[in-house]
Amino acid sequence: TTTKMWQADSPSSDTGLREAADLLRAGGLVAFPTETVYGLGADARNTTAVGRIFAAKGRPSDNPLIVHIADPAQLEGLVYPLPPLAEVLMKRFWPGPLTIVLPVVPGAVSPLVTAGLDTVGVRMPNHPSALRLLRLAGCPVAAPSANVSGRPSPTEARHVLDDLEGRIDGVVDGGACGVGLESTVIQLTGSDEIRILRPGGVTPEQLAQAAPGARIDAPSAKAETGSAAEAEAPRSPGMKYAHYAPRGEMVVVDGEPGAVADYIRRVTSNARARGEVTGVLAFEERVHAYDADAALSYGSAGDLEHAAARLYAALRTFDELGVQRIWAEACDERGIGLALMNRLLKAAGGRKVLV
Ligand code: TXA
Ligand code: MG
C-alpha cells in the first residue's frame, strides 16, 4: 500500500480531508491528528477494516479500541443507558481528552472494537481536523494510537510514517499534538464513582471539580512501582502490555533534585566508561548538568504540560540516536504529572530508583 499524506492546514485541506473521509467510509485505514496523540482510524462498524488496524499495529486482539465521534448525538444507538454522571462529564470535557467507557448497544460496532466486552470507550477529540474528518466520514471511527504496538505513541505525522508507512492508506498531517499523552479513560461504577482506568489529559483534580459529589478512584503511578499489582489486575485491558517503550533500557529516578542529579551523573559516567550510549531526560533547570551522549530537556519543571507534550518525541529521539541506557527524572504526580509518571514508568518497564 502507498501511504498518502494530506496537509491539514493547506488551502486545499478540505479536499484532502474529503479524500481521507471517503477512504474511511470505504474501509480504509487513515491516521489523523487529535489533541492527545495521532490516531489510526477505521469505520468502527466494519470488521474487515477494524481487523486491518490490529494487523497494521501488531496489536493483541484482546485490547479494545476507543470509538471517536464528532457530535454527542452520535451516542444514540451506540451506547445505552447513558448515566447522568456521564452526561455531566461530557458537557464539561468534550470535545477533549476524556474517554468514557459505557455499555455498548449490541451490534452497534464490530465485536473486534470491544474485544468481546459489553462496553465501549467513546470520546470526542478536541482537534479541528479530527472533528472535520469525523463529520465528513459520518460514521463512528475506531482509533487506537497510530504507532506499532509497544512503541511510543506518535505526536507528529512523521512518527506515524516511521512506524506504519506502507501499512496504512493515509495520514492527515496536523503538526504536533498539544497534549502529547493519551486521553484519560474512565468507567463509572455505581451512581457516584469515577474509576480512572488510564490517567491522561484530563486530571483527577479536574474530574473532582466537575463532579463534586463523586468519589474518584485514581491509580498512583508511584505507589504501583514494579507494577506487580497492575499486572495482576490491569485496570483497562491495554494497561497490562509493555507500552510506550524506547529501545534502550530506561530507569526513572525519583527523589530530591540534588540527589537525583548526583545519582544520574554517577550512573551515566559509569555507563559511558563501559562504552554504552547513554541518554538522560531531565528538566531544563538541570539538563546541562548531565554529561550523557544525549541529554534531552522536558522544558521547565514548573510546566508539566509542556513536559508531557515532549515525552514521546524524546523517547523516539533516543531510539534515532541509538541510545542504549536512559535515565529519566521523575516528576510530581500533581495535575498532568500523574499521567506523565504513569507513562514514564510504563516506558521504563516499572524500573524506578528512589535516591
Ligand atoms: O488519546 C487517546 O485516547 C488516543 C487518541 C487516538 O484518541 N487513543 C488511544 O487508544 O490511546 P489506544 O487504543 O492506544 O488506547 C485505548 C485504551 C487501552 O488502554 C484500552 O484497553 C482502553 O483504552 N479501553 C478501550 N475500550 C475499553 C473498554 N471497553 N473497557 C476498558 N478499557 C478500554
Ligand atoms: Mg496506544
Side-chain angles (χ1 to χ4, degrees):
T1 315
T2 352
T3 304
K4 293 196 173 178
M5 173 108 129
W6 304 277
Q7 294 303 318
D9 339 307
S10 76
S12 59
S13 75
D14 218 48
T15 323
L17 288 177
R18 275 175 200 285
E19 198 181 331
D22 288 345
L23 272 168
L24 278 176
R25 266 200 310 271
L29 297 192
V30 172
F32 59 96
T34 79
E35 80 281 29
T36 59
V37 301
Y38 276 74
L40 178 59
D43 181 344
R45 305 162 306 183
N46 182 331
T47 292
T48 312
V50 174
R52 286 183 63 210
I53 290 184
F54 285 88
K57 283 181 57 89
R59 183 179 176 104
S61 60
D62 64 350
N63 191 5
L65 307 181
I66 293 171
V67 170
H68 296 67
I69 56 176
D71 191 310
Q74 288 177 277
L75 293 171
E76 179 83 41
L78 178 63
V79 294
Y80 189 85
L82 198 57
L85 183 53
E87 291 189 75
V88 169
L89 297 175
M90 286 167 186
K91 281 212 178 76
R92 168 67 180 82
F93 295 108
W94 281 10
L98 182 71
T99 296
I100 310 183
V101 172
L102 293 162
V104 67
V105 171
V109 294
S110 162
L112 295 185
V113 170
T114 57
L117 299 174
D118 54 11
T119 53
V120 65
V122 190
R123 93 174 185 101
M124 178 179 170
N126 186 18
H127 190 288
S129 306
L131 290 170
R132 179 86 182 123
L133 177 68
L134 293 168
R135 261 188 211 110
L136 289 167
C139 57
V141 171
S145 49
N147 52 294
V148 163
S149 272
R151 299 265 300 135
S153 294
T155 53
E156 297 171 34
R158 69 180 176 90
H159 300 158
V160 177
L161 290 179
D162 286 345
D163 280 16
L164 298 173
E165 182 154 32
R167 296 199 230 174
I168 63 175
D169 298 297
V171 50
V172 176
D173 183 356
C177 301
V179 177
L181 300 179
E182 300 83 348
S183 63
T184 303
V185 180
I186 61 165
Q187 190 151 25
L188 307 176
T189 47
S191 60
D192 58 358
E193 188 182 83
I194 301 173
R195 189 166 151 80
I196 299 179
L197 304 181
R198 177 179 73 180
V202 170
T203 65
E205 294 89 336
Q206 289 174 307
L207 289 168
Q209 203 171 38
R215 204 178 86 77
I216 316 274
D217 177 15
S220 160
K222 292 195 182 185
E224 284 166 9
T225 302
S227 59
E230 200 81 315
E232 264 173 49
R235 287 185 169 230
S236 78
M239 297 306 273
K240 71 172 178 276
Y241 294 105
H243 255 84
Y244 323 110
R247 295 195 182 92
E249 184 185 282
M250 183 166 145
V251 176
V252 179
V253 186
D254 197 3
E256 181 271 314
V260 167
D262 287 343
Y263 176 86
I264 294 181
R265 268 199 298 268
R266 195 170 68 245
V267 289
T268 46
S269 124
N270 291 344
R272 293 188 82 183
R274 290 192 300 267
E276 292 172 335
V277 183
T278 57
V280 172
L281 184 53
F283 288 99
E284 191 63 36
E285 290 80 354
R286 282 178 298 279
V287 73
H288 305 288
Y290 299 119
D291 188 24
D293 297 291
L296 304 183
S297 173
Y298 286 115
S300 169
D303 187 356
L304 291 185
E305 274 79 18
H306 190 238
R310 281 197 183 181
L311 174 67
Y312 289 141
L315 297 183
R316 281 176 181 263
T317 300
F318 286 134
D319 284 353
E320 282 157 22
L321 298 173
V323 170
Q324 297 165 300
R325 302 291 303 277
I326 303 162
W327 288 273
E329 293 184 348
C331 69
D332 285 346
E333 289 197 313
R334 261 174 297 137
I336 192 76
L338 180 71
L340 181 53
M341 270 303 282
N342 173 274
R343 302 309 192 275
L344 279 169
L345 286 167
K346 295 271 171 199
R351 283 180 293 271
K352 187 181 87 166
V353 290
L354 186 60
V355 294

